Amino acid sequence: MIKIIKRITVAGLALLFLVSIALYVALHLSLPKLSGEVQTSQISAKTSIGRDRLGTAVIHAENRQDAAFALGFAHGQDRFFQMDLLRRNSAGELAELFGKPAVKLDESRRFHQLRKRADNIYRHLPTAQQQLLQRYADGVNRALTAQSLPSFEYLLTRAKREPWQPADSLLVIYSMYLDLQGNGLKRDLALDHIERRFGSQMRSFITQTSNYQAALDNSLFPSDPPTIPKLSPSPSPSVSLQQSTASTLAQRLAVTIEEPVEVGSNNWAVTGKMTRTGSAMLSDDMHLSFAVPIIWYRAQLNYPDGEGKAVQVTGVSLPGAPAIVVGSNGKLAWGFTNAYIDTADWVALAEDEPLEVVHETIKLPKGEQDYAITLSRFGPVRRLGEQAYALTWVAHQEYAVNMELMALEQIDNVPEAMAKASGFGIPVQNLMLADDKGHAAWQLAGAVPARTNTSDIALPSEEIVWDKWQERDEALPSLQDPTSDRLWSANARVMSTQEAERYGDGGYALGARSAQIRDRLLEQELFDESDFYRIQLDNQARFYRPWQAYLLESLMREPKRFAKDIVQLRDWQECACAESVGFTLVKAFRSQILDSAFAPVEAELNSAQLSLSVLKRYLEPAIWQLLKQQPVDWLPQDVISWDELVIASYVAARDELLDKYSEDGELSALNWGRVNTLAIQHPFSRQFPLLSRWLDMPKVAGFGDTFMPAVQRKSFGASQRFIVQPGYEERAIMAIPGGQSGHPLSKYYRAGFSEYARGAATPLLPGEIEAKLTLTPSQAQD
């Protein structure tokens, strides 16, 4: 019997060894060819793709069309699966790869019918843009045919790689719309429901202006607090509302309002008067969710323009599109933050509004599923209870996406770049510009609706006016070379109060980041790249100062009970530092007291499949008003004072952390570096944790938070850190939290991550070329 077991064991181990060898060989065969020569009939002249130690794709071409082909080829080699996910995400086609668990997400995407919109827009693009997208697609597909085996994701899922189509690049831009403006759509529905169930006074209370305002012109909205509304049912309350307003302490503490993901960015600039070189200087770090591979791809394009003048543009591209999204051409540099103006309206439809039902087919690995979409003359329709709402969104308009952004590659000065901004077919952004002549500017850029009656809640159909883009001859808000010589944006309001009334609020950030960046810029009169990098890494917890003081004062009423807590709070170091326990406690308490106070509102929203999550950052002034005035009707029915609610909220937050992170119940285990560990994962390792060792980036102690320049959550943060003075690119910085390649056996899979993790400054310009692939034109068909 023992011999039989041994034989079976040996046979099993041998089989496992053979499978491992086969898998390893297959993975090696799927590695792309980075050196040598590839012939193709789809370019006009010899073109090269070089790679440096970080895997930066350095492209030399004789024209922009060939450069697009080469960039597509490089993207196809290193990132095709990521590109595939991006187009499938916006088109609602993920279930074809991942099966029924992805159907709900696909349905939420099909609601917008973005594949149909992308195909239609592509057919109406200028011929030059169509040709460029076609050449890019040709490059992607040529890279696929050059691979011996598909990448490991397709080997594991046994899915078929579908060729890249020119309109797929527009779907990639649509994915950015969903990321950057998706919460704004939920925000307006939530506010509309709050007004319907609790009244306009509650909506005003929740959306009141905070003290954290940092507009470039220093204009302020009035911040006088409104009257605290009664937390009581509307005249015709629903059952859920009656129940939620009579909640107990235990029910309150059980409610979690999810922390919103602050999808956005920081950027700022100074004019040449504040640098030693006389060139303006730009900083840009875009905040997005992290995955493996990271969203951005390092690239440098070298080609002559139409007049034979050499163009060299270096920065990051978005795999799936042929443009340098953020970068510098030696004369002009540019970067973006999400602008968060109001770009969508929900229409409260009358009962007799004509509607149409269309059907979409969602493919599965085996079979398919029908999805019905209700359409109106205003857009797709969603029903909440008895009320039907139609969505009119800028992403649904024909002007939403195009390739006009690529014009920045060949512009050499700030004023000309500003003039182009209104034509960009991208989610509306704060465009920050700097040039080698010392000019710096902020400019609203992207797809902006022409309607002027912005609203936080649904409008009746007769008030909807959506017939055109922002007029191109009407200047969008901007500011060039301010008297302070400083510019900044960080997803809060940048424009004046008058302009903000015109463009509306689509989910602005609170403003604490903007204010801290502004204050840092005002501390100096002369800057270099290292000064800007220090601001990018600034994790001082200025925003949390009053919260730390309030919590400490509350706990001091019971000094014996909270003796250990008080020690940690006093030693919090006023920063989101890896070793700080006090910061963890302060942050957790703030979040819990918000959840506890607003649980009745959240419960009512949940009954309509909505949430306060998209409004949670707005609640800062409201919660302080509640804590100071302490209205009794806002308390749970079994709690007699706000002091009791505060202590209960703190204890609940602390104990939840201890249960999760401490084996012995000691507070020392709650250091911020552990609680907020940066963990960048591959999509597959989330489903199969055993793959984590091979697919994920190394875990790093947490650094930074949401309300400070150094933004970082567990899988979210600065997706790149970019600093440049145009004309001095050899001193420029581009740090990215991940490697170029999506192939785990590639030397470029993790290249650059360790520098990013420890705050080191990796260069923008590529280094010595260590691999070179030559694309040679041929007459034969590919």
Side-chain angles (χ1 to χ4, degrees), residues 651-666:
V651 171
R654 181 201 62 188
D655 290 353
E656 182 179 353
L657 287 168
L658 288 171
D659 288 343
K660 188 173 183 179
Y661 296 103
S662 179
E663 295 180 359
D664 56 7
E666 289 297 320

Side-chain angles (χ1 to χ4, degrees), residues 313-335:
V313 57
T314 313
V316 292
S317 59
L318 176 61
I324 299 297
V325 178
V326 166
S328 176
N329 63 19
K331 298 289 185 179
L332 176 77
W334 60 94

Side-chain angles (χ1 to χ4, degrees), residues 268-270 281-283 521 527-537 722-724:
W268 60 88
V270 296
M281 186 159 59
L282 167 76
S283 172
L521 291 174
F527 294 90
D528 60 21
E529 290 82 358
S530 62
D531 296 318
F532 271 23
Y533 204 45
R534 278 194 294 273
I535 298 176
Q536 286 191 355
L537 300 177
F722 174 49
I723 301 168
V724 64

Side-chain angles (χ1 to χ4, degrees), residues 334-363:
W334 60 94
F336 296 100
T337 71
N338 199 30
Y340 281 110
I341 67 167
D342 188 5
T343 59
D345 290 317
W346 287 96
V347 187
L349 298 176
E351 291 185 5
D352 60 352
E353 179 68 36
L355 300 176
E356 174 191 7
V357 177
V358 299
H359 293 268
E360 297 260 336
T361 299
I362 297 177
K363 294 182 179 179

Side-chain angles (χ1 to χ4, degrees), residues 52 66 112 132 136 233-234 248 255 264 345 425 581 606 721 733:
D52 70 350
D66 287 354
H112 303 289
L132 197 76
Y136 175 81
S234 58
T248 65
V255 171
D345 290 317
V581 172
N606 289 169
R721 295 178 181 139
I733 295 168

